[in-house]
Amino acid sequence: MPTAAFTTLGCKVNQYETQRILDDFEARGFAITEFTAPADLYVINTCSVTQAAERKSRYMVRKLARQNPDALVVMTGCYGEMAQIKGETVEDAALVVPNHQKLETLAHVLRAFPHLETALAGQPPAPPRPYTPRTRATIKVQDGCNVFCAFCSIPYTRKFMLSRTTDDILAEAARRVEQGYREIVITGVLVGAYGQDNFTPIAGRDLPRGAFAPRLDVAPAPASKVKTNEEGLSEAAEKLSGQTPSDGSQSDALTFPTPIANAPDLADLLRQIARVPGVARVRLSSIEPTQVTDSLLEAFASEPKLCRHLHIPLQSGDSGILRAMNRPYDQEFYLERCRAAYAALPDLAITSDIMVGFPGEDRPAFENTLAVVRAVGYARAHLFRYSPRPNTPAAEFAAQVSEAEKEARSKELGDACRATQRAFIARHLGRELEVLVENKEGAKRAASTSNGEDTGNADHEPIAPSGGEILPGLLSGYTSNYIRVQFTGGSHLIGAVVNARLLEPTSDGALGEVGSAHFGPLEAPPDADFLPLATFAAQV
């Protein structure tokens, strides 16, 4: 029986696609092994969102080919497309599967290497893998992006806009429930464009499902207008609270296009997924600011199974930089959408992607980003430094920011994001929130600064700017609004939704308790390993 191993670089969409590819190989008769173990075939789903991601993709292929000269190394993903665009040859890859055909990787492999088909002949299906408790499954509903931000290569590597049918998505959600999953994470490359495959955007103005017509012909505010952090914060806070800015200026009206006739709608799709029997939660992975429509917020407000968490990429808090990025909104539009989201959804967590060091970003522009961070009060943020991408306009811009300045700003922004995260968690201490229990944690994990050098896709699951600790033996899970909670309990609680009272903060979440260790109908079996919270108090 031939063996296969899989690994993923990059975003949550890639992770979902790797799982689909792995399932195909397993169903065909391949024995699935760990990526660090010897195998006949290795499949690497690559990323090209930054230079560092490309380097890591090339390194992974080269390392595997040299360590396992008798194995076949198959590459797919965005770097495969980017390598072709750049005219690069990845000599150590035995096969490169086109990105838009990656879900057909098994067919490509069997055609290219007939000896594997022969080896599979007559093989019984692989034995099922040992059952492990499952809580969260990702489902990709849409692929492709045709919105050309000045810094992004994704429209070049995922250029085919395609939405899955509602029936197909609902059927997959039902299968995931049968497999034991409780939470469904909905993702896509431009997920707000679900059902809008025929929408043709005007670069720099429109995004599917939302349109914004800011005064793009108006020059950016002079640097003198942003005198200090405090003044920038004050102005942004006024906008967030709905007050008129102190200079008397008025915001542009928000406008959204009429949906294409009879096209499916993301808000309706989320409602339908929430109604699948057995689904406890539905979480939306990432949504562009212009796609946070009133109808989407109404869906979240009316359906309790939709998680109170929106990941809304900011990229920059400065309107001039946003215009240079070809992003279809300005600072005021972004703040208005956040204000509307908070008004519709009490206890909402807003998380974000934020870039530092885009060409032309001076100190006042960076101060505007800091002001928005503090005004919105992000629960978490994914930070990354600008990295020139081939064929993108920004790579040719003048006024490139030095690496030293990018590093300094990344650290300063990270400190600001950690402060807003701590404040968000502090507001929930003493309260009882529902937690979906995911696992029992083991050894302490290594801290990570996560400067985003090898990430940055808007579809990344939000992560804290700094790593968190694991307290040995504690159960761990997330609230609907994405607070990571650790507490004492037995393994029988994994997969259950429990009410946990948040007691004190940890570096990226909170320590909690569940019913003072009295679980009522979820009574622990005699061998359940309860540990007193006091054991861990000194470690926090």
Side-chain angles (χ1 to χ4, degrees):
M1 178 182 297
T3 55
F6 301 80
T7 195
T8 306
L9 302 174
C11 65
K12 186 179 293 296
V13 173
N14 261 12
Q15 294 169 7
Y16 168 83
E17 291 165 341
T18 299
Q19 183 62 54
R20 289 280 301 272
I21 297 168
L22 185 155
D23 291 344
D24 287 345
F25 275 77
E26 187 172 39
R28 185 63 183 80
F30 281 84
I32 307 303
T33 187
E34 296 296 325
F35 196 73
T36 53
D40 299 307
L41 178 79
Y42 295 91
V43 178
I44 306 172
N45 197 356
T46 62
C47 178
S48 69
V49 75
T50 63
Q51 291 175 340
E54 289 189 2
R55 286 196 300 269
K56 190 170 182 180
S57 296
R58 290 193 300 269
Y59 169 78
M60 185 72 72
V61 173
R62 183 171 62 250
K63 178 182 177 183
L64 275 174
R66 293 178 181 177
Q67 287 184 352
N68 305 273
D70 296 328
L72 298 170
V73 179
V74 176
M75 182 176 76
T76 189
C78 290
Y79 175 62
E81 295 292 317
M82 184 56 67
Q84 184 178 26
I85 292 170
K86 295 163 67 175
E88 296 178 354
T89 301
V90 186
E91 297 178 352
D92 293 310
L95 177 67
V96 178
V97 178
N99 202 25
H100 67 284
Q101 296 179 356
K102 66 167 60 173
L103 294 184
E104 302 168 26
T105 295
L106 175 62
H108 280 271
V109 166
L110 295 180
R111 279 198 301 269
F113 309 111
H115 69 280
L116 291 175
E117 183 85 70
T118 302
L120 290 168
Q123 288 285 353
R129 282 171 284 174
Y131 173 79
T132 55
R134 294 163 168 170
T135 53
R136 185 185 299 170
T138 298
I139 295 180
K140 184 181 79 170
V141 302
Q142 178 274 341
D143 200 353
C145 181
N146 57 9
V147 181
F148 289 80
C149 297
F151 56 82
C152 184
S153 63
I154 290 174
Y156 300 94
T157 58
R158 290 182 179 268
K159 50 196 160 200
F160 298 100
M161 297 287 288
L162 180 66
S163 299
R164 297 173 63 189
T165 66
T166 301
D167 289 345
D168 190 30
I169 294 166
L170 296 178
E172 182 173 356
R175 289 196 301 272
R176 296 309 180 198
V177 169
E178 290 175 0
Q179 294 168 344
Y181 291 101
R182 304 295 311 283
E183 180 176 304
I184 303 296
V185 181
I186 299 303
T187 190
V189 176
L190 190 64
V191 73
Y194 175 74
Q196 305 298 306
D197 299 354
N198 296 323
F199 187 97
T200 302
I202 301 172
R205 178 184 172 113
D206 294 336
L207 280 176
R209 187 55 65 187
F212 170 56
R215 294 186 295 265
L216 296 180
D217 57 329
V218 177
S224 60
K225 283 198 68 177
V226 188
K227 297 178 181 179
T228 65
N229 260 2
E230 289 71 22
E231 290 175 351
L233 172 59
S234 175
E235 182 176 342
E238 286 178 352
K239 294 173 182 175
L240 187 60
S241 64
Q243 300 175 20
T244 301
S246 57
D247 63 0
S249 64
Q250 299 293 322
S251 171
D252 290 292
L254 305 181
T255 60
F256 299 99
T258 302
I260 296 174
N262 301 320
D265 176 85
L266 178 62
D268 290 337
L269 174 67
L270 295 175
R271 288 190 182 98
Q272 291 187 59
I273 295 170
R275 290 196 290 265
V276 172
V279 170
R281 286 179 177 175
V282 180
R283 191 178 298 275
L284 185 60
S285 178
S286 180
I287 186 76
E288 286 291 315
T290 52
Q291 296 167 339
V292 181
T293 61
D294 290 343
S295 63
L296 184 73
L297 296 178
E298 289 167 4
F300 273 79
S302 63
E303 176 49 70
K305 289 186 179 180
L306 298 186
C307 289
R308 272 39 183 171
H309 169 210
L310 290 172
H311 184 73
I312 312 174
L314 171 66
Q315 306 305 354
S316 173
D318 181 80
S319 294
I321 294 297
L322 288 169
R323 181 165 54 251
M325 287 178 167
N326 218 16
R327 301 286 286 170
Y329 55 89
D330 63 4
Q331 182 201 76
E332 193 160 347
F333 181 93
Y334 186 94
L335 289 171
E336 195 285 335
R337 287 290 83 194
C338 290
R339 184 180 72 242
Y342 281 137
L345 303 169
D347 298 327
L348 175 70
I350 296 180
T351 59
S352 193
D353 298 320
I354 311 173
M355 179 188 295
V356 297
F358 186 81
E361 181 189 70
D362 56 13
R363 183 68 199 183
F366 179 64
E367 295 276 357
N368 277 335
T369 295
L370 289 173
V372 172
V373 165
R374 292 164 179 156
V376 175
Y378 293 118
R380 290 182 180 230
H382 176 200
L383 315 181
F384 61 109
R385 306 172 196 176
Y386 168 73
S387 173
R389 302 281 71 231
N391 292 343
T392 61
E396 306 299 325
F397 285 178
Q400 297 283 333
V401 179
S402 71
E403 292 303 318
E405 187 62 29
K406 290 179 190 176
E407 182 176 359
R409 291 178 189 175
S410 180
K411 182 180 183 304
E412 187 174 355
L413 186 60
D415 290 342
C417 290
R418 279 187 285 275
T420 62
Q421 182 182 10
R422 286 193 296 268
F424 177 80
I425 293 169
R427 293 200 301 271
H428 294 82
L429 295 181
R431 295 180 55 188
E432 196 170 81
L433 301 177
E434 288 189 347
V435 176
L436 176 57
V437 186
E438 297 191 359
N439 52 40
K440 182 179 284 292
E441 298 174 326
K444 185 184 180 73
R445 69 183 174 198
S448 166
T449 58
S450 186
N451 62 16
E453 287 286 325
D454 61 344
T455 58
N457 189 333
D459 190 60
H460 273 77
E461 181 172 311
I463 58 175
S466 65
E469 77 270 28
I470 285 180
L471 303 180
L474 291 185
L475 292 178
S476 175
Y478 284 86
T479 64
S480 172
N481 60 354
Y482 213 64
I483 298 175
R484 177 171 171 267
V485 182
Q486 297 167 278
F487 55 92
T488 297
S491 299
H492 67 294
L493 293 179
I494 295 175
V497 177
V498 300
N499 291 321
R501 186 176 303 279
L502 278 57
L503 301 177
E504 54 185 291
T506 61
S507 66
D508 68 341
L511 194 63
E513 68 175 357
V514 174
S516 301
H518 299 295
F519 298 102
L522 289 173
E523 288 294 343
D527 59 349
D529 44 351
F530 289 100
L531 299 171
L533 289 173
T535 303
F536 305 99
Q539 302 181 40
V540 179

